[in-house]
Amino acid sequence: MDAWRTSITHVDEKNIWIRGYEIGSLMRRQTFAGAVFLLHKGRLPSEGESRLLDAILISVSDHGPGSPSAATARLACSGNRKGLSSAIAAGILAIGDEHAGAGEACMAIIAQGLRRVKSESISIDDAAERAVDDAEAAKKRLPGLGHRQHATDPRKDALFDLARDYGIAADGVAFMIALEKAASSRIKPLPLNIDGVLAAILYDMGFPPEFGKFVFVIGRVAGLTAEVAEELAREKAMRIHVPVVYDGVPPREIP
Amino acid sequence: MDAWRTSITHVDEKNIWIRGYEIGSLMRRQTFAGAVFLLHKGRLPSEGESRLLDAILISVSDHGPGSPSAATARLACSGNRKGLSSAIAAGILAIGDEHAGAGEACMAIIAQGLRRVKSESISIDDAAERAVDDAEAAKKRLPGLGHRQHATDPRKDALFDLARDYGIAADGVAFMIALEKAASSRIKPLPLNIDGVLAAILYDMGFPPEFGKFVFVIGRVAGLTAEVAEELAREKAMRIHVPVVYDGVPPREIP
Amino acid sequence: MDAWRTSITHVDEKNIWIRGYEIGSLMRRQTFAGAVFLLHKGRLPSEGESRLLDAILISVSDHGPGSPSAATARLACSGNRKGLSSAIAAGILAIGDEHAGAGEACMAIIAQGLRRVKSESISIDDAAERAVDDAEAAKKRLPGLGHRQHATDPRKDALFDLARDYGIAADGVAFMIALEKAASSRIKPLPLNIDGVLAAILYDMGFPPEFGKFVFVIGRVAGLTAEVAEELAREKAMRIHVPVVYDGVPPREIP
Amino acid sequence: MDAWRTSITHVDEKNIWIRGYEIGSLMRRQTFAGAVFLLHKGRLPSEGESRLLDAILISVSDHGPGSPSAATARLACSGNRKGLSSAIAAGILAIGDEHAGAGEACMAIIAQGLRRVKSESISIDDAAERAVDDAEAAKKRLPGLGHRQHATDPRKDALFDLARDYGIAADGVAFMIALEKAASSRIKPLPLNIDGVLAAILYDMGFPPEFGKFVFVIGRVAGLTAEVAEELAREKAMRIHVPVVYDGVPPREIP
């Protein structure tokens, strides 16, 4: 088999280097969030980038046992208590286009809006109005706006404050705030949700769209381990009984 | 269906609390490692506990594309490029008794050794000699010692230094160092490996044995996201060709 | 990388042979169950072995959306609708020691009982009494007996009838029937469940204990695909809301 | 939680019915392939439909340890030998757009071609020429044609013969054969591959495009169980060493 190429981590008999930095030095001087940043960006984060990524990871770490990822992990654990990594993997498999997937679409809308700002020399507010026009014309919902569970997302202020304090908030954040305002005045109250907040910040940090899903997985896996640990400690095997109604064809004979 | 109980995360329409702490405050004032600690321990970490957990998570975050978890993730990605979470979940499924599983056995040996120290009023060195006796009598390998790849694990010093600097290193660390000495003098050079180092420190931090696997999964998932991102960016689909030799029965006819 | 050895399937540019048989011939002349038998046993099944394995695979193929595997697959699908294989994999991860795991323990008890029949020259009925003695002494439940959901398992008669009609039923089946009788007269009504029935038959077919879990996975994956197809066709994304009660610490301030 | 609706399998205390048929009757009178057909179609198969689905499931059951799904399962197993279902799930996660995904695109091209036959009153041969025109104009590869490994797929004749013998082969098969002819005369020799053959037959059996991936998963899981069983029986843990070349930045100091 041909050797696999990598530019991420170099391992030899004596040491391990991540993106060129000796792992022991990283362990002494960075947070885990800093290492996540380094792994993906190939450079060390500034203090603000590091702090913001810590906050992002915490923001998605857990949303209770009822979120699809945690519920999937607990259900898998209920039938398969020996395989700790199985339950966590099952939980991760619930993450996709619907659960934590809006961020990617949202980053695309930000990118398109800010291209218009440049190419058409319009304001960010005008570009946000255009995005609402597009969504109305296509009869599509705008990603990143509107809440399933929270009237105002409790994670928004902490993330935007940190992003501003460290000088990271830029056009991505400005665009999403303008979009919230435009959509809410023209359609109905559509507050920024966590997907929209994260998309704005990750855009301003220079991450590509798919990083939104990666960062969600990294953060959420922490919550999944705690959810699985609690399931094992507090609950019996096979305890989950889903109520089912059969509405198919009545009993019949094989001809 | 009966409601699911949890003591970890409380979500209502207005806010999210992890172990009683409002999530926004945690985001402003803790690192992600601190949140991992809180999720599992139910209390906030000291500065040292937080720093040490950051270092632990970095230490297991990546070991190159050839480690079983990363290679599994890349292979899965090679056939299934659209499902980012699929490849990461596949990588996690490679984590088990053999890959990152020695820590659990190691923490059990530490616990047994330190029980003997108390119950039989012997020294930690003597308890370590007994553990070698047991392993020799049972003809079993001692977990946490001996290296697949590194003659001296490059992560050991950083972890032990931090553990000592913050006053966290205690009997667990002392026992594993004594065990390394006893085994190396009686059997062959058996340097502490990363599983043994982590087991010693997690024991001294008061974590239960299964946390060793959880912390490995949390840290490694960061590396898996970077490995998958690189696979998608640099490599073609279906590029991995495993050389195979068939040594079964020769062609035959169905009777 | 060293070549991987295999004695199962040989692939060259011109053809594919499974255990020496050209795949086209197998497709023309065997059922899928026959191929499963061949893959694991290395020989073609008799007509009875083939029919019985078909019946076994059907018996475990689906148990409604509420079984842990199907519920896990549907939950994963609810958040991740694009990844068909993700949801199926998540469902499989719910299969383990508790869900479909009793068969392995049951085959071990059959093997032990039948060893006693030989070594102590006792009857199968007496060996079954001994197994009940052992379970009572150890205060353990006997695997393969007692039902979660069915007073008499509807799959039992079909499997035992086929096993008898084709001359496959032997000491394994006899032992489990004796065990049901002995346990029910001494403890409480403990009818054979599907795990016990499958263990008896797979034992008499000469399969090793781990095959019980493999055959469950192969059969159940059929049901999982149908459950996932129905979830996608009939239900909205994120439709599953698990009721949650928080019983942890009340809100508190970070010191 | 609201009850989950299903029209597939009804379970009560006394019995189990799949699509209205009592499970015991199905076990006595159908093959597993028949049950797969019933689960997805909601009716029992004809003899030909049942035989053809058996042949399809066999055709995709195994392709040796080097196929992405089997290699992923073996790698996962190498690090995690206790979790049988983990390794199988990991293997399934390698199935996606690249590995077994061409069938879906292929069924879409068949459907489009046959719509043109009707709406434009052209022959199937002409519709196939149009499909080649489209592919050339879009500079895209035609799915279902061209081989990675086999010059002529050894599974094609068995599937097409069975489909013809049982009167199932219809316009789908005719279109794919016409497409092979048109593409091979205009571009280069592009023989039908297994994805194209399966797409043609599943189209003529009236299955929706996503069933192609489901049927692949059901068949392949049989091979994965055998591959994992062989890995456990013949190979040591952690035996797989992927050769790696690091081509990233050289060692550097943290500033």
Side-chain angles (χ1 to χ4, degrees):
Chain A
M1 187 158 82
D2 292 338
W4 293 9
R5 305 173 300 167
T6 188
S7 64
I8 302 171
T9 299
H10 181 42
V11 179
D12 73 11
E13 277 181 33
K14 292 193 187 150
N15 219 327
I16 301 166
W17 296 263
I18 297 180
R19 301 287 191 185
Y21 296 108
E22 194 264 322
I23 196 164
S25 315
L26 291 171
M27 290 160 63
R28 291 173 200 270
R29 296 172 59 183
Q30 290 288 324
T31 64
F32 179 61
V36 170
F37 189 98
L38 175 65
L39 280 162
H40 280 273
K41 279 282 209 185
R43 67 167 173 84
L44 291 170
S46 68
E47 186 196 340
E49 289 167 330
S50 184
R51 285 290 301 117
L52 201 49
L53 194 48
D54 264 315
I56 289 169
L57 290 168
I58 296 173
S59 77
V60 296
S61 63
D62 198 39
H63 207 247
S67 84
S69 47
T72 301
R74 281 178 176 259
L75 252 167
C77 186
S78 172
N80 185 7
R81 289 169 77 90
K82 297 260 171 83
L84 300 188
S85 58
S86 298
I88 296 165
I92 286 173
L93 291 172
I95 298 170
D97 293 81
E98 301 295 335
H99 184 31
E104 206 165 327
C106 201
M107 282 173 85
I109 282 184
I110 297 171
Q112 187 193 34
L114 296 177
R115 273 196 305 271
R116 279 177 176 163
V117 167
K118 272 200 185 169
S119 66
E120 306 178 23
S121 300
I122 57 176
S123 69
I124 284 181
D125 285 348
D126 289 343
E129 296 283 346
R130 294 278 187 89
V132 179
D133 295 343
D134 292 350
E136 290 195 319
K139 293 185 181 175
K140 282 197 176 168
R141 284 170 48 189
L142 283 159
L145 301 181
H147 277 274
R148 276 167 57 86
Q149 207 157 357
H150 303 287
T152 301
D153 197 286
R155 297 161 286 191
K156 187 182 74 170
D157 285 352
L159 287 169
F160 280 173
D161 286 353
L162 284 165
R164 284 181 196 119
D165 290 352
Y166 285 106
I168 291 168
D171 287 355
V173 169
F175 181 83
M176 283 307 294
I177 290 172
L179 188 67
E180 176 188 39
K181 207 177 104 196
S184 296
S185 78
R186 288 172 51 185
I187 306 172
K188 62 171 181 182
L190 281 170
L192 272 170
N193 60 33
I194 184 70
D195 292 318
V197 171
L198 290 179
I201 289 173
L202 294 173
Y203 182 90
D204 284 341
M205 292 176 84
F207 283 108
E210 66 268 23
F211 187 71
K213 207 172 280 169
F214 286 141
V215 86
F216 188 91
V217 169
I218 299 170
R220 180 55 54 95
V221 83
L224 295 178
T225 60
E227 297 280 344
V228 166
E230 188 184 56
E231 180 71 25
L232 290 169
R234 289 187 68 171
E235 310 294 351
K236 287 188 185 168
M238 303 292 277
R239 60 134 182 147
I240 298 166
H241 297 278
V242 175
V244 173
V245 172
Y246 175 77
D247 59 6
V249 296
R252 49 183 171 167
E253 297 289 320
I254 296 179
Chain B
M1 187 159 83
D2 293 338
W4 293 8
R5 305 173 300 168
T6 188
S7 64
I8 301 170
T9 299
H10 181 42
V11 178
D12 73 12
E13 277 182 31
K14 291 192 187 152
N15 219 327
I16 301 166
W17 295 264
I18 297 180
R19 302 285 192 185
Y21 296 107
E22 195 264 321
I23 195 164
S25 314
L26 292 171
M27 290 159 64
R28 290 173 200 272
R29 295 171 60 183
Q30 292 287 325
T31 65
F32 178 62
V36 170
F37 189 98
L38 175 65
L39 280 161
H40 280 273
K41 280 283 208 184
R43 67 167 174 82
L44 292 170
S46 68
E47 187 197 338
E49 288 167 332
S50 185
R51 284 291 301 116
L52 201 49
L53 194 49
D54 264 314
I56 289 170
L57 290 168
I58 296 172
S59 77
V60 296
S61 63
D62 198 40
H63 207 247
S67 83
S69 46
T72 302
R74 280 178 177 260
L75 251 168
C77 186
S78 173
N80 183 7
R81 289 169 77 90
K82 296 260 171 82
L84 301 188
S85 57
S86 298
I88 297 164
I92 287 174
L93 291 172
I95 299 171
D97 292 80
E98 300 295 335
H99 183 30
E104 207 165 327
C106 200
M107 282 174 86
I109 282 184
I110 297 171
Q112 189 194 33
L114 296 177
R115 272 196 306 271
R116 279 178 176 162
V117 167
K118 271 200 185 169
S119 66
E120 306 178 24
S121 299
I122 58 176
S123 69
I124 285 180
D125 284 348
D126 289 345
E129 295 284 345
R130 296 277 188 88
V132 180
D133 295 343
D134 292 350
E136 290 195 317
K139 294 186 181 173
K140 281 197 176 169
R141 284 171 46 191
L142 283 159
L145 301 182
H147 276 273
R148 278 168 55 86
Q149 206 156 358
H150 304 287
T152 301
D153 196 286
R155 298 161 286 191
K156 187 182 75 169
D157 286 351
L159 286 169
F160 279 174
D161 287 353
L162 283 165
R164 283 180 197 120
D165 290 350
Y166 286 105
I168 291 168
D171 288 355
V173 170
F175 181 84
M176 283 307 295
I177 290 173
L179 188 68
E180 178 188 36
K181 207 177 102 194
S184 296
S185 77
R186 289 172 50 185
I187 306 172
K188 61 171 181 182
L190 282 170
L192 272 168
N193 60 33
I194 184 68
D195 293 317
V197 171
L198 289 179
I201 287 174
L202 293 173
Y203 182 90
D204 283 341
M205 292 177 84
F207 283 108
E210 65 268 24
F211 186 72
K213 206 172 280 170
F214 286 140
V215 87
F216 188 91
V217 170
I218 299 170
R220 179 55 53 96
V221 83
L224 295 178
T225 60
E227 296 280 345
V228 167
E230 189 185 56
E231 179 71 24
L232 290 170
R234 289 187 68 170
E235 308 294 350
K236 287 189 185 169
M238 304 291 278
R239 60 135 182 145
I240 299 165
H241 296 278
V242 175
V244 172
V245 172
Y246 175 77
D247 60 6
V249 296
R252 50 184 171 167
E253 296 290 318
I254 296 180
Chain C
M1 187 159 82
D2 293 338
W4 293 8
R5 306 173 301 166
T6 188
S7 64
I8 301 171
T9 299
H10 180 42
V11 178
D12 73 13
E13 276 183 32
K14 292 193 186 152
N15 219 327
I16 302 166
W17 295 262
I18 297 180
R19 301 287 192 185
Y21 296 109
E22 193 266 321
I23 196 165
S25 313
L26 291 171
M27 290 160 65
R28 291 173 200 271
R29 294 171 61 183
Q30 290 288 325
T31 65
F32 178 62
V36 171
F37 189 98
L38 174 65
L39 280 162
H40 280 273
K41 280 283 210 184
R43 67 168 174 83
L44 291 170
S46 68
E47 186 196 340
E49 288 167 333
S50 184
R51 284 291 300 117
L52 201 49
L53 193 49
D54 263 315
I56 289 169
L57 290 168
I58 296 173
S59 78
V60 296
S61 63
D62 198 39
H63 208 246
S67 83
S69 48
T72 302
R74 279 178 178 260
L75 253 167
C77 185
S78 173
N80 184 7
R81 289 169 77 90
K82 295 260 172 81
L84 300 188
S85 58
S86 298
I88 297 165
I92 286 173
L93 291 172
I95 298 171
D97 293 81
E98 300 294 335
H99 184 30
E104 207 164 327
C106 200
M107 281 174 87
I109 282 185
I110 296 171
Q112 187 194 35
L114 296 177
R115 274 196 305 271
R116 279 177 176 165
V117 166
K118 273 201 183 166
S119 66
E120 306 178 25
S121 299
I122 58 174
S123 69
I124 284 180
D125 284 349
D126 288 345
E129 294 284 346
R130 296 278 188 88
V132 179
D133 295 343
D134 292 350
E136 289 195 320
K139 293 186 183 174
K140 281 198 176 168
R141 283 171 48 189
L142 283 158
L145 301 181
H147 277 275
R148 277 168 55 88
Q149 206 157 359
H150 304 287
T152 301
D153 197 287
R155 297 161 286 190
K156 186 182 76 169
D157 285 353
L159 287 169
F160 279 174
D161 286 353
L162 284 165
R164 284 180 196 120
D165 290 351
Y166 286 106
I168 291 167
D171 287 355
V173 170
F175 180 84
M176 283 308 294
I177 290 173
L179 188 67
E180 177 188 38
K181 208 177 104 195
S184 295
S185 78
R186 287 172 51 184
I187 305 172
K188 64 173 181 179
L190 281 170
L192 273 168
N193 61 34
I194 185 69
D195 292 317
V197 171
L198 289 179
I201 288 173
L202 293 173
Y203 182 90
D204 284 342
M205 292 176 84
F207 283 108
E210 67 268 23
F211 186 71
K213 207 171 280 171
F214 286 141
V215 86
F216 188 90
V217 170
I218 299 171
R220 180 54 54 94
V221 83
L224 295 178
T225 59
E227 297 281 343
V228 167
E230 189 184 57
E231 180 71 24
L232 290 169
R234 290 187 67 172
E235 309 294 351
K236 286 188 187 168
M238 303 292 278
R239 60 134 182 148
I240 298 165
H241 297 278
V242 175
V244 173
V245 171
Y246 175 76
D247 59 6
V249 295
R252 50 182 170 168
E253 297 291 318
I254 297 179
Chain D
M1 188 159 82
D2 293 339
W4 293 9
R5 304 173 300 166
T6 189
S7 64
I8 302 170
T9 299
H10 181 41
V11 178
D12 73 12
E13 279 182 30
K14 293 193 185 151
N15 219 325
I16 301 166
W17 295 264
I18 296 180
R19 301 286 192 185
Y21 297 107
E22 194 265 322
I23 196 166
S25 313
L26 292 170
M27 290 159 64
R28 291 174 200 271
R29 295 171 61 183
Q30 291 287 325
T31 64
F32 179 62
V36 170
F37 189 98
L38 175 65
L39 280 161
H40 279 272
K41 280 283 210 183
R43 67 168 173 85
L44 292 170
S46 68
E47 186 195 339
E49 288 167 331
S50 184
R51 284 290 302 115
L52 200 49
L53 194 49
D54 264 315
I56 289 169
L57 290 168
I58 295 173
S59 77
V60 296
S61 63
D62 199 38
H63 207 246
S67 83
S69 47
T72 303
R74 281 178 177 261
L75 252 168
C77 186
S78 172
N80 184 7
R81 288 170 77 90
K82 296 260 171 82
L84 300 188
S85 57
S86 299
I88 298 165
I92 287 173
L93 291 172
I95 299 170
D97 293 80
E98 300 295 334
H99 184 31
E104 208 166 326
C106 201
M107 281 173 85
I109 282 184
I110 296 171
Q112 188 194 35
L114 296 178
R115 273 195 306 272
R116 278 178 176 161
V117 167
K118 271 199 183 167
S119 66
E120 305 178 23
S121 299
I122 58 175
S123 68
I124 284 180
D125 284 348
D126 288 345
E129 295 284 346
R130 296 277 188 88
V132 179
D133 294 343
D134 292 350
E136 290 195 319
K139 293 186 181 173
K140 282 199 176 167
R141 283 171 49 190
L142 282 158
L145 301 180
H147 277 273
R148 277 168 55 87
Q149 205 156 1
H150 304 287
T152 300
D153 196 286
R155 297 161 287 190
K156 186 183 75 169
D157 285 352
L159 286 170
F160 279 174
D161 287 353
L162 284 166
R164 284 180 195 120
D165 290 352
Y166 285 106
I168 291 167
D171 287 355
V173 170
F175 181 84
M176 283 307 294
I177 290 173
L179 188 67
E180 177 188 38
K181 207 176 105 196
S184 296
S185 77
R186 288 172 51 185
I187 306 171
K188 63 172 180 180
L190 281 170
L192 272 169
N193 60 32
I194 184 69
D195 292 318
V197 171
L198 289 179
I201 288 173
L202 293 173
Y203 182 90
D204 284 341
M205 293 176 85
F207 282 108
E210 66 269 25
F211 186 71
K213 206 172 281 170
F214 286 141
V215 86
F216 187 90
V217 170
I218 299 171
R220 180 55 52 96
V221 83
L224 295 178
T225 60
E227 296 281 343
V228 167
E230 189 184 57
E231 179 72 25
L232 290 169
R234 289 187 69 171
E235 309 294 351
K236 287 188 187 170
M238 304 291 279
R239 61 134 182 148
I240 298 165
H241 297 279
V242 175
V244 173
V245 172
Y246 175 77
D247 59 5
V249 295
R252 49 181 171 169
E253 297 291 319
I254 296 180

